[in-house]
Amino acid sequence: MTQEQAMSLLQQLFWGSAFLGICAAIHVAMIGFFLPYMTKLDGFLLKHAPRFRSTVMAGSGFILIAISHTAEVWVWAKALMLRGVFTDLNEALYFSLVTFTTVGYGDITLGEGARIFGTFAGVSGVLTIGISTAFLVALMGKLVPKPLSDLK
């Protein structure tokens, strides 16, 4: 990153918050939009074996969450490129993914003019992964209301 591309602290806070908000909106909108379709699918699957129903519904929920998180990683990669932090898409995607998932290998680090901004990708990941976990736990709670031993 060059000096010309460095952001002030206020710019990093503003743009980091803006892109975090975009990711939160994507995540909540995806769940909100597809929930009625998942409810219809569940109604259709009620006449099938409980294991089949549980598998299809859990798989559908997982796919929905995976698509949401993938879109959000792409948003962060593009944000890092738009803000001049990276010029290479591969590097931007890699950094976004390891930061979003909080793996943070540390092989790529940001300069002082983008550190705070980049950290928002990690905050975005933590928050949306939390929402995803809550969604999947609620979904599984509806699918498996009885003890697992009753599902034969």
Side-chain angles (χ1 to χ4, degrees):
M1 180 165 71
T2 64
Q3 282 294 74
E4 301 84 55
Q5 296 166 326
M7 292 181 269
S8 71
L9 177 60
L10 287 177
Q11 287 174 317
Q12 291 183 69
L13 291 170
F14 174 79
W15 288 112
S17 298
F19 284 105
L20 185 147
I22 289 168
C23 286
I26 288 169
H27 208 73
V28 172
M30 286 282 286
I31 291 171
F33 180 79
F34 284 103
L35 205 51
Y37 296 104
M38 290 185 70
T39 302
K40 286 182 185 179
L41 177 62
D42 186 48
F44 172 76
L45 293 172
L46 279 174
K47 55 188 161 208
H48 292 83
R51 273 191 284 190
F52 178 74
R53 174 180 168 247
S54 295
T55 302
V56 171
M57 291 304 296
S60 299
F62 178 82
I63 289 168
L64 170 65
I65 294 305
I67 291 169
S68 297
H69 287 296
T70 301
E72 292 151 24
V73 167
W74 276 90
V75 165
W76 276 108
K78 192 62 178 172
L80 289 160
M81 292 181 74
L82 287 172
R83 300 305 309 159
V85 178
F86 294 108
T87 56
D88 179 57
L89 177 61
N90 186 46
E91 194 172 37
L93 276 169
Y94 172 77
F95 181 84
S96 296
L97 186 57
V98 299
T99 303
F100 188 86
T101 58
T102 69
V103 170
Y105 292 122
D107 54 341
I108 299 175
T109 58
L110 302 183
E112 195 174 306
R115 284 184 194 147
I116 303 296
F117 176 67
T119 303
F120 274 92
V123 173
S124 176
V126 167
L127 293 174
T128 57
I129 289 169
I131 291 170
S132 297
T133 301
F135 171 74
L136 291 174
V137 166
L139 178 64
M140 293 309 295
K142 296 290 184 191
L143 294 174
V144 188
K146 302 180 210 172
L148 289 174
S149 60
D150 291 350
L151 293 175
K152 295 180 181 175

